[in-house]
Amino acid sequence: MKQQLEKLMNQKDLSIEEMKQATEHCFTQDITDTEIASLLTALRAKGETADEIAGIVEVIRAESQSIPTSLPHVMDNCGTGGDQSHSFNISTTAAFVIAGAGVTIAKHGNRSISSKTGSADVLEHLGVSLSFQPEKTDEILRENGIAFLYAPHVHPNLKRFMKVRKELGLPTILNLIGPLTNPVALDSQLLGIYRRDMLAMMAESLNKLGRRRALVVNGAGYMDEASLAGDNHLVLLENGKTSPFTIHPEELGLPVHSNEHIRGGDAKDNAVILQNVLQGKQGPYLDTVLLNAGLGLFANGTAATINEGVKFAKESIASGAALDKLKRLMEYSKQIPTEVL
C-alpha cells in the first residue's frame, strides 16, 4: 500500500493492477482506517482515472456476495446519487418500466445517503424484501425479470470502507462506483452521474469492466438522471467505442418541466408516486420516467433509438406489465422472512 500511496501523492496514476493490489490490502485483517482514508483522499486529490475505478470495482465485486445467474443479458439502471435534487425515485420506478418491456434488470441500490429517500427505503415501504438470498435472486430474475439487490446485503465486506467514508464526510471514489459494483455480471447499463466532467471517463470504466453496451447520463441541472428541464448530456458505449451527444425532451415528444416539479418526499410519499406512475397517472413524474426508461431501453439495445425506447416504455405502462413486475416482486417478498439490516 505504501508504494501506491506515494505514487498517488506524487500525482501519478495507478494501473488497474496497482489499484487492485491497494484495494485488496484494504480487505485484509491488518489494514487500518488511516490507510483506507489515505487511499481515498489521495485518489480524490489527484483525480480518479478509468483504470483506478475499474481496479477498485473488480476487487469489491470479487469480495461481494456471488449471484449465481447465467442469464446472458442483464442490465442495471442505478445512478450515483449525490445531485442534491431531492427528486423522487426515478431510476427505481424506471426499472420496473424497463423490465415490463422485456429487459432483465438486476436493480442495485441502497438506503438514502445524500437524498431523502433511497431505492431501498421506497421498496421496503412497498413490502419488497431487502434480504433475498443469491439462489432466490437468480430465481426472481429468471421468473420476474427484475430483482432488487440491497447494497449492504450483497456487499457485507464493505463495512470498513463505509465507516471511513462516513467519518471523512467528503466525496471520494466511493461516491462514484456504487452502480458499478453490482455483483451480477451485467451485459449493459444505464448509469446516471452527478458530475458532467466524468461522463467519458465513467463510460471508459464501464468498457474496462466488460459492458457490451452502456449509456452514461448527466441530466439538465446536473442531475444523476435524465431531466425534462433541458439538455441532457450523454456518452454512449458500444462495442468498445464511446460517442458523446445531447438530447432534449422535446426531441422525444416529451414536455419541458422544471426539476422542481419532480421533487419527492419520504418513503411513503415516493411509494405513492412510484405506484401512480406505474398506473399511468399523467404528469411530470410519468414523463420523467418515460424519458429515463426510454434511455434504459436504448442503452440495453432493445430499442434502436431513444424515441423507440420511449414508445416501448409507454407500452410497458399502458399494458400493465410494469406494474405487474412490482406486484410480483412484492409477492416473492411475502415468501421469506424479512431481515433487519
Side-chain angles (χ1 to χ4, degrees):
M1 173 78 91
K2 183 178 179 182
Q3 182 179 355
Q4 286 94 334
L5 286 175
E6 286 181 347
K7 193 170 180 179
L8 290 170
M9 287 188 288
N10 287 323
Q11 296 294 299
K12 294 181 179 179
D13 299 332
L14 301 183
S15 67
I16 288 182
E17 287 306 315
E18 288 172 324
M19 190 66 214
K20 288 172 70 174
Q21 290 168 9
T23 309
E24 285 167 355
H25 182 62
C26 292
F27 286 97
T28 60
Q29 293 293 325
D30 58 345
I31 187 71
T32 66
D33 288 354
T34 301
E35 286 179 291
I36 296 176
S38 297
L39 177 64
L40 298 177
T41 53
L43 282 165
R44 174 61 192 269
K46 177 188 69 65
E48 301 88 346
T49 67
D51 279 347
E52 290 162 351
I53 289 173
I56 190 173
V57 167
E58 285 187 11
V59 174
I60 289 174
R61 291 188 69 248
E63 292 284 341
S64 301
Q65 184 185 77
S66 176
I67 309 294
T69 185
S70 58
L71 291 168
H73 300 296
V74 184
M75 80 169 292
D76 191 5
N77 69 328
C78 181
T80 60
D83 62 11
Q84 304 299 321
S85 67
H86 305 294
S87 61
F88 74 107
N89 299 97
I90 298 170
S91 66
T92 305
T93 311
F96 291 104
V97 180
I98 296 169
V103 176
T104 304
I105 293 273
K107 184 72 178 80
H108 189 241
N110 207 338
R111 294 193 185 278
S112 171
I113 295 176
S114 60
S115 61
K116 194 170 183 179
T117 306
S119 55
D121 300 308
V122 70
L123 290 177
E124 184 180 51
H125 183 83
L126 288 166
V128 174
S129 173
L130 306 184
S131 55
F132 289 118
Q133 293 305 306
E135 295 76 15
K136 189 66 176 179
T137 298
D138 180 41
E139 177 188 330
I140 295 170
L141 285 172
R142 291 176 180 279
E143 295 182 0
N144 191 41
I146 182 170
F148 181 67
L149 284 68
Y150 178 47
H153 185 63
V154 297
H155 302 297
N157 296 329
L158 277 182
K159 292 178 181 177
R160 288 286 294 280
F161 272 105
M162 294 302 103
K163 175 177 178 288
V164 171
R165 174 187 179 180
K166 185 176 182 181
E167 290 174 351
L168 280 174
L170 299 169
T172 69
I173 194 170
L174 297 178
N175 294 76
L176 301 171
I177 64 171
L180 307 183
T181 61
N182 192 317
V184 172
L186 301 177
D187 173 66
S188 59
Q189 190 158 2
L190 172 64
L191 170 63
I193 181 169
Y194 68 98
R195 287 185 58 179
R196 191 168 296 172
D197 62 315
M198 296 187 73
L199 283 169
M201 191 183 72
M202 293 301 281
E204 183 56 34
S205 298
L206 288 167
N207 182 40
K208 291 178 182 292
L209 291 167
R211 303 294 188 270
R212 170 188 57 85
R213 188 177 164 97
L215 197 59
V216 187
V217 57
N218 175 263
Y222 293 89
M223 288 186 65
D224 74 324
E225 315 272 4
S227 164
L228 297 170
D231 284 328
N232 297 278
H233 295 252
L234 305 98
V235 173
L236 173 67
L237 167 68
E238 185 174 24
N239 298 323
K241 297 181 179 180
T242 59
S243 52
F245 65 99
T246 60
I247 193 80
H248 192 281
E250 290 179 334
E251 297 176 55
L252 305 171
L254 294 172
V256 175
H257 286 288
S258 163
N259 289 338
E260 293 291 322
H261 293 159
I262 55 170
R263 283 181 173 267
D266 59 19
K268 181 179 179 180
D269 295 330
N270 285 10
V272 171
I273 294 170
L274 187 154
Q275 290 175 303
N276 284 342
V277 168
L278 297 188
Q279 290 167 359
K281 184 177 180 179
Q282 298 294 313
Y285 296 124
L286 172 63
D287 292 331
T288 299
V289 168
L290 291 175
L291 172 58
N292 282 273
L295 289 172
L297 290 163
F298 175 67
N300 173 265
T302 295
T305 65
I306 300 172
N307 274 292
E308 187 174 55
V310 172
K311 176 187 174 184
F312 291 165
K314 290 178 179 178
E315 292 170 356
S316 174
I317 293 173
S319 68
L323 183 61
D324 184 61
K325 296 295 182 182
L326 171 61
K327 289 179 177 178
R328 291 184 67 185
L329 191 55
M330 293 162 63
E331 286 300 316
Y332 282 113
S333 299
K334 293 177 182 178
Q335 301 169 16
I336 66 170
T338 301
E339 297 178 12
V340 179
L341 297 174

